[in-house]
Amino acid sequence: MSVETVRKYLDGFGVGDRILEFSTSSATVELAAAVLGVIPARIAKTLSFKTPDGALLVVAAGDAKVDNRKFKETFGIKAKMLSAEDELSLVGHPVGGVCPFAVNPGVPIFLDESLRRFETVYPAAGSANSAIELTCDEIAEFSGAERWVDCCKLPSETI
């Protein structure tokens, strides 16, 4: 999949033209924040986890970290990130461009509460040099997320 696949998918919601593409990489939270000129927390990172059935995605604020206890309570499994090799085959997007849009069928998507602190956030859009600015309501609608979850902790909650 690619930014063009995501653009076509988001065109179905009338927002494909809002995708931003950059001449430099936005593949990490820090790089994306720098190219967009926003704080890293406003980058909506899409985390991919291995499940017995394949994969699941959690979209969280850029400054949030997975809380292993909360993750296990929420999903009933240990938090184990996908390998780079599994990322493309199970989710459908390459590392650096993983986003909650136009993913492979059967991959459930969840949104972490850490995003709700912001009016808008910036998830990737299918490539390592793209993003789109969305409200939390928009990201929930356009991603087809299963539900909001609380499986991450913010820096202020870290011991």
Side-chain angles (χ1 to χ4, degrees):
M1 305 234 184
S2 67
V3 69
E4 288 309 314
T5 303
V6 172
R7 187 181 320 279
K8 287 178 187 168
Y9 173 84
L10 291 175
D11 277 343
F13 297 96
V15 299
D17 61 339
R18 287 172 42 192
I19 292 176
L20 305 167
E21 291 187 81
F22 316 110
S23 58
T24 59
S25 177
S26 59
T28 66
V29 167
E30 293 75 19
L31 291 172
V35 77
L36 287 161
V38 300
I39 61 171
R42 285 191 57 208
I43 303 304
K45 60 185 177 184
T46 303
L47 306 169
S48 308
F49 298 94
K50 188 142 186 74
T51 71
D53 300 321
L56 72 80
L57 301 179
V58 174
V59 185
D63 62 344
K65 304 275 188 227
V66 173
D67 180 310
N68 289 322
R69 180 188 56 78
K70 286 181 178 182
F71 187 94
K72 188 163 187 177
E73 287 173 1
T74 301
F75 299 110
I77 57 173
K78 183 178 176 183
K80 182 177 180 189
M81 301 289 291
L82 287 182
S83 67
E85 298 78 37
D86 286 341
E87 192 76 55
L88 187 58
S89 64
L90 293 177
V91 176
H93 294 298
V95 171
V98 178
C99 65
F101 316 113
V103 300
N104 288 344
V107 176
I109 300 164
F110 300 89
L111 304 177
D112 189 74
E113 291 288 338
S114 60
L115 294 170
R116 290 196 188 199
R117 298 175 289 156
F118 305 104
E119 187 174 322
T120 63
V121 293
Y122 293 88
S127 71
N129 65 329
S130 65
I132 184 169
E133 183 178 16
L134 298 172
T135 66
C136 287
D137 287 343
E138 287 175 326
I139 198 169
E141 178 185 353
F142 305 160
S143 69
E146 303 273 327
R147 68 182 189 275
W148 288 89
V149 296
D150 180 12
C151 66
C152 292
K153 58 188 168 191
L154 298 176
S156 61
E157 300 170 329
T158 305
I159 298 173

